[in-house]
Amino acid sequence: MTSALLNDAHALTDELVSLRHTLHGCPEVGLHLPHTARIIRAHIEACDLEIHEARSVSGFMAVLRGERNTNGKRPIVLLRADMDGLPVTEDNDLDWRSTNGAMHACGHDLHMAGLVGAMRILTARKAELAGDVVFMFQPGEEGHDGARHMIDEGLLEAAGRLPDHAYGLHVWSGRYPAAFIGTRPGPMMASSDTIAVRVQGRGGHGSAPHEALDPIPVIARIITDIQVSVAREFNIFDPVVATCGQVHAGSAANVIPSEAYAEFTLRAFSPEARERLCTRVREIATGVAETAGMKAVVEHTPLYPVTMNDPGEVDFVRDQVESLWPGRWRNQDEPMAAAEDFSKVLERIPGCFIGVSAVEEGEDAAKLAFNHSAHALFSDEVVPHCAALLAQCAYSRLT
């Protein structure tokens, strides 16, 4: 049946690539994606599936009920794609490039086209399925916590209960060579937290710092001490990342400001290291400020947990890839420090997040622009592969 599913996917190539181009040309950012949602909903309706629409965001759960009888528990498989773009102005020469100031710079247009393809393949074979498939089309992955909104609305139980297995994939525009499909057991991507630190001092004249409380040296020391903490207090075999991406203070050379502000993104690969890192950043900020006679106001915004792959599900996915494309599977040696809100699905459902290279054959992946770049390019050739892989994972579990 593997070759038949692959043939089904290739038969849809022109339609799926056309859909990908349409989606690529009209990206939308955030949780509310009205144009994208209309396009996706039309494809769900064409398959005549149950539609469970999110109330608070532009998202859908489409449920396919398999028609094959079974005497035992009917398994449920969830397949997921994210739908949002990034606030990036595209700088490519594609005929179908985006011109609206946003961009599918992370390949979500391929994810959607691949999931629509899997939905069509599996719908055509629903008489063979002894269980149900939930297709999760989700907005707001790019820092807007879209998965949480859908989970909070109870949509993971759209088929009647939590699914037994969950699969999603992510395409890469560089770094991984052409034809790469792979992942790793355990942590596949990092957690993500944002911490903002506002040091409150006392402004004054630049010529008389002794009459003021200058917050600028304090915020500088906080930034430095956090980096020292990362290097000296955390196990190198359970690493963390703390990057200060914003620093704001002052308005003139001869004015000591009353406040200084810094914002950090924090990454970790285990729940324990994540909790400790967030605690240490807060302790360092408040402690350094107090030593200087000032106050640090710390605001912590938790984003995504570690994306944890179930080891048994990784073995299962490897077998599916090898059955479709013998020799193509590759183990991902290291986790990525990027974060992903499919992690919130995998906290509740055993499953696997899979990496798929969208690099053209013959290109040097190490020299290509990676995801989120205005120059990122993703090959159309992998669109039917995404559809076949997702369909194969569900089909194999349900037959």
Side-chain angles (χ1 to χ4, degrees):
M1 184 51 66
T2 296
S3 60
L5 290 180
L6 197 53
N7 290 339
D8 291 348
H10 284 298
L12 294 171
T13 295
D14 290 346
E15 294 174 64
L16 297 180
V17 168
S18 177
L19 171 61
R20 184 253 163 142
H21 291 183
T22 297
L23 293 166
H24 189 90
C26 59
E28 296 171 292
V29 176
L31 296 169
H32 302 287
L33 320 172
H35 184 65
T36 305
R38 282 194 296 272
I39 294 171
I40 295 302
R41 186 184 181 101
H43 283 275
I44 298 172
E45 291 173 345
C47 290
D48 196 26
L49 302 185
E50 295 176 25
I51 300 178
H52 300 257
E53 187 170 359
R55 299 183 302 275
S56 60
V57 297
S58 299
F60 304 97
M61 295 293 202
V63 180
L64 168 63
R65 302 290 183 181
E67 295 177 345
R68 182 175 154 199
N69 291 329
T70 176
N71 294 325
K73 176 182 176 183
R74 291 174 57 82
I76 302 173
V77 176
L78 181 144
L79 304 176
R80 175 266 199 171
D82 36 13
M83 303 194 295
D84 56 320
L86 285 157
V88 173
T89 299
E90 184 163 8
D91 190 7
N92 287 318
D93 295 328
L94 303 170
D95 292 339
W96 35 274
R97 68 184 179 279
S98 168
T99 59
N100 68 359
M103 180 184 175
H104 274 301
C106 206
H108 296 185
D109 48 336
L110 281 80
H111 300 173
M112 288 185 280
L115 189 55
V116 167
M119 186 170 65
R120 291 187 56 182
I121 292 167
L122 293 169
T123 298
R125 296 184 176 276
K126 63 183 178 181
E128 303 165 32
L129 304 180
D132 304 327
V133 187
V134 179
F135 303 92
M136 180 179 185
F137 291 94
Q138 173 223 303
E141 185 277 327
E142 298 290 357
H144 298 275
D145 212 355
R148 176 182 63 80
H149 289 273
M150 297 185 71
I151 291 169
D152 286 351
E153 291 190 25
L155 290 172
L156 286 186
E157 294 83 21
R161 60 176 178 83
L162 273 180
D164 304 287
H165 314 277
Y167 305 107
L169 57 77
H170 207 303
V171 292
W172 313 124
S173 64
R175 190 178 300 172
Y176 298 96
F180 170 97
I181 298 179
T183 190
R184 66 192 309 277
M188 190 270 195
M189 298 179 78
S191 62
S192 177
D193 294 83
T194 298
I195 288 188
V197 178
R198 191 177 303 277
V199 175
Q200 298 175 340
R202 184 173 66 243
H205 200 288
S207 66
H210 61 287
E211 297 175 355
L213 289 173
D214 189 349
I216 292 180
V218 174
I219 204 75
R221 184 181 164 192
I222 289 170
I223 295 168
T224 301
D225 283 4
I226 288 171
Q227 297 306 316
V228 172
S229 173
V230 167
R232 311 314 297 173
E233 297 179 24
F234 288 84
N235 188 336
I236 61 171
F237 299 107
D238 188 9
V240 297
V241 176
T243 296
C244 180
Q246 290 194 69
V247 185
H248 303 284
S251 58
N254 62 347
V255 176
I256 294 173
S258 60
E259 285 191 348
Y261 175 87
E263 191 169 279
F264 300 82
T265 184
L266 309 181
R267 309 295 168 114
F269 297 99
S270 72
E272 297 78 17
R274 179 192 189 191
E275 181 178 358
R276 183 163 177 245
L277 177 60
C278 293
T279 298
R280 284 299 290 136
V281 169
R282 182 180 294 276
E283 291 172 347
I284 290 168
T286 55
V288 170
E290 287 174 2
T291 299
M294 303 182 211
K295 179 182 179 181
V297 177
V298 181
E299 182 179 351
H300 175 205
T301 304
L303 293 173
Y304 304 153
V306 181
T307 302
M308 286 284 191
N309 281 335
D310 180 90
E313 294 286 3
V314 172
D315 291 342
F316 169 79
V317 169
R318 179 198 61 219
D319 292 344
Q320 306 316 304
V321 172
E322 285 296 306
S323 69
L324 289 165
W325 304 282
R328 189 166 172 180
W329 173 266
R330 295 290 183 271
N331 289 319
Q332 183 177 316
D333 294 330
E334 302 169 344
M336 296 180 66
E340 164 64 54
D341 70 351
F342 190 57
S343 57
K344 296 197 171 183
V345 175
L346 294 180
E347 280 188 318
R348 295 160 174 82
I349 306 167
C352 183
F353 199 49
I354 312 151
V356 178
S357 173
V359 171
E360 291 276 1
E361 196 69 45
E363 293 280 359
D364 184 351
K367 296 180 179 179
L368 298 177
F370 194 59
N371 297 38
H372 287 221
S373 167
H375 302 284
L377 292 169
F378 302 84
S379 173
D380 283 336
E381 294 177 2
V382 303
V383 172
H385 300 180
C386 293
L389 177 55
L390 291 170
Q392 174 67 24
C393 288
Y395 188 89
S396 184
R397 284 296 189 195
L398 300 182
T399 56

